[in-house]
């Protein structure tokens, strides 16, 4: 019952924001994961035009298939859903061949983030062409817990429908709305790496563990309050939160002293 109320409230909120901003609808990047599946479904349920865009870049075939199957499911259910498939492989390869200098950790991470930024540019092209809002697909753990997103990539959006939902909430609401099993059963991944590594592989903890750690942090708990795995998870959250805080706070602005104005 709680999740029915939340999903309906988000749909009303999306409608209200689109009306207030005098925009026509939404553009959503579809990755084949649960977050973009839920976001696009919620946008579709507003009745407003919803453009689903899949943008493969050296993508795992399973991810491509899940994205395609989800979009087909949406289009079968909603007349207001349209689909754009933009192959960014050659764009990314050209960019990579132009800028790649060294094979080191920073270079690999920068290239991975570049994939996300190319996708953001693509989404905003379609948003501009259709007077639509780019709907973000980040959940609460990613956006406000550990900053697990690309600055000005998947973090570059106009509106964030699920950013106050934990991953557990995302799964529960997705089940209620009938999101396909292939999406519900897939391991979460950001899709930015050629080796298909999952979010858990990169983070070192599950989303459920991170949700627990976020609650403890809000209670002002410290690392020494825990032992064994709980301590390890809490330290993972704390480390990533501190490291990625620059993504979660407003951009620093130098203020000219009044006596110099």
């Amino acid at each position: 019952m709680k999740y029915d109320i939340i999903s309906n409230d988000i749909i009303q909120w999306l409608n209200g924001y689109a009306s207030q901003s005098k925009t026509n609808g939404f553009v959503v990047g579809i990755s084949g994961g649960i977050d973009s599946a839920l976001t696009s479904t919620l946008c579709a349920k507003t009745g407003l035009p919803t453009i689903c865009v899949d943008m493969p870049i050296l993508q795992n075939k399973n991810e491509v298939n899940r994205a395609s199957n989800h979009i087909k499911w949406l289009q079968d259910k909603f007349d207001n859903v349209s689909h754009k498939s933009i192959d960014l492989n050659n764009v990314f390869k050209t960019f990579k061949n132009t800028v790649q200098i060294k094979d080191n950790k920073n270079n690999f991470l920068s290239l991975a983030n570049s994939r996300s930024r190319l996708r953001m540019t693509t989404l905003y092209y379609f948003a501009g062409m259709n007077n639509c809002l780019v709907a973000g697909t980040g959940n609460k753990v990613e956006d406000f817990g550990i900053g697990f997103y690309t600055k000005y990539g998947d973090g570059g959006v106009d509106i964030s429908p699920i950013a106050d939902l934990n991953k557990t909430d995302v799964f529960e609401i997705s089940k209620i709305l009938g999101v396909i099993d292939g999406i519900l059963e897939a391991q979460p991944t950001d899709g930015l790496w050629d080796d298909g590594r999952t979010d858990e592989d990169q983070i070192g903890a599950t989303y459920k563990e991170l949700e627990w750690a976020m609650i403890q942090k809000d209670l002002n708990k410290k690392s020494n309050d825990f032992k064994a795995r709980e301590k390890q998870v809490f330290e993972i959250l704390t480390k990533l939160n501190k490291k990625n805080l620059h993504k979660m706070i407003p951009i620093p602005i130098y203020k000219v002293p009044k006596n110099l104005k």
Side-chain angles (χ1 to χ4, degrees):
M1 186 66 174
K2 176 181 79 169
Y3 290 120
D4 286 320
I5 295 172
I6 291 173
S7 61
N8 288 331
D9 202 38
I10 293 173
I11 293 163
Q12 291 180 26
W13 178 77
L14 285 166
N15 262 316
Y17 193 89
S19 175
Q20 181 183 2
S21 61
K22 293 179 170 47
T23 45
N24 296 331
F26 309 96
V27 175
V28 188
I30 307 299
S31 66
I34 190 74
D35 295 319
S36 66
L38 177 59
T39 300
S40 55
T41 303
L42 291 167
C43 289
K45 287 180 75 67
T46 64
L48 297 175
T50 298
I51 306 170
C52 292
V53 188
D54 70 286
M55 300 161 283
I57 302 177
L58 306 178
Q59 215 69 19
N60 180 290
K61 287 184 179 179
N62 290 331
E63 294 171 16
V64 174
N65 289 337
R66 288 199 303 270
S68 177
N69 290 338
H70 171 70
I71 294 169
K72 183 179 184 303
W73 174 77
L74 273 183
Q75 289 188 299
D76 287 343
K77 287 177 65 70
F78 302 99
D79 293 336
N80 55 312
V81 173
S82 59
H83 172 217
K84 302 290 183 181
S85 185
I86 308 299
D87 188 333
L88 294 175
N89 282 296
N90 289 334
V91 175
F92 176 71
K93 288 176 182 177
T94 300
F95 175 78
K96 179 181 177 181
N97 292 335
T98 302
V99 303
Q100 191 168 17
I101 300 173
K102 296 179 180 179
D103 288 337
N104 59 36
K105 182 178 178 181
N106 288 337
N107 186 56
F108 293 145
L109 181 59
S110 292
L111 283 173
N113 285 328
S114 294
R115 297 188 190 196
S116 184
R117 292 179 178 124
L118 287 172
R119 289 173 178 143
M120 178 275 292
T121 301
T122 305
L123 293 175
Y124 270 98
Y125 170 79
F126 286 109
M129 287 291 291
N130 295 279
N131 187 33
C132 287
L133 297 163
V134 174
T137 61
N139 59 65
K140 187 174 184 178
V141 178
E142 293 171 337
D143 284 6
F144 302 110
I146 57 174
F148 191 64
Y149 60 89
T150 300
K151 197 172 187 178
Y152 305 120
D154 51 331
V157 301
D158 294 313
I159 190 169
S160 293
I162 66 170
D164 199 35
L165 301 179
N166 281 319
K167 197 78 167 186
T168 302
D169 302 324
V170 170
F171 273 100
E172 291 300 323
I173 295 175
S174 295
K175 290 176 187 175
I176 290 172
L177 296 183
V179 170
I180 61 175
D181 289 342
I183 299 283
L184 295 171
E185 295 166 0
Q187 285 287 323
T189 176
D190 61 11
L192 298 181
W193 303 89
D194 295 341
D195 57 13
R197 67 189 71 176
T198 66
D199 291 352
E200 186 177 348
D201 291 334
Q202 296 186 68
I203 299 166
T206 66
Y207 280 102
K208 190 171 183 179
E209 288 178 321
L210 293 169
E211 289 171 20
W212 167 85
M214 286 176 68
I215 293 171
Q216 305 312 310
K217 187 173 183 292
D218 288 342
L219 294 173
N220 295 316
K221 295 292 184 69
K222 305 297 181 185
S223 177
N224 290 336
D225 293 327
F226 309 104
K227 296 179 180 180
R229 179 60 180 170
E230 287 187 346
K231 182 175 183 178
Q232 184 182 16
V233 171
F234 187 82
E235 288 177 348
I236 289 171
L237 173 82
T238 304
K239 177 183 177 181
L240 291 176
N241 182 271
K242 183 177 180 180
K243 177 183 178 182
N244 294 322
L245 192 61
H246 67 97
K247 303 179 187 179
M248 299 179 255
I249 60 175
I251 299 171
I253 298 174
Y254 166 75
K255 295 290 187 180
V256 178
K258 289 183 179 180
N259 64 311
L260 297 179
K261 289 186 176 180

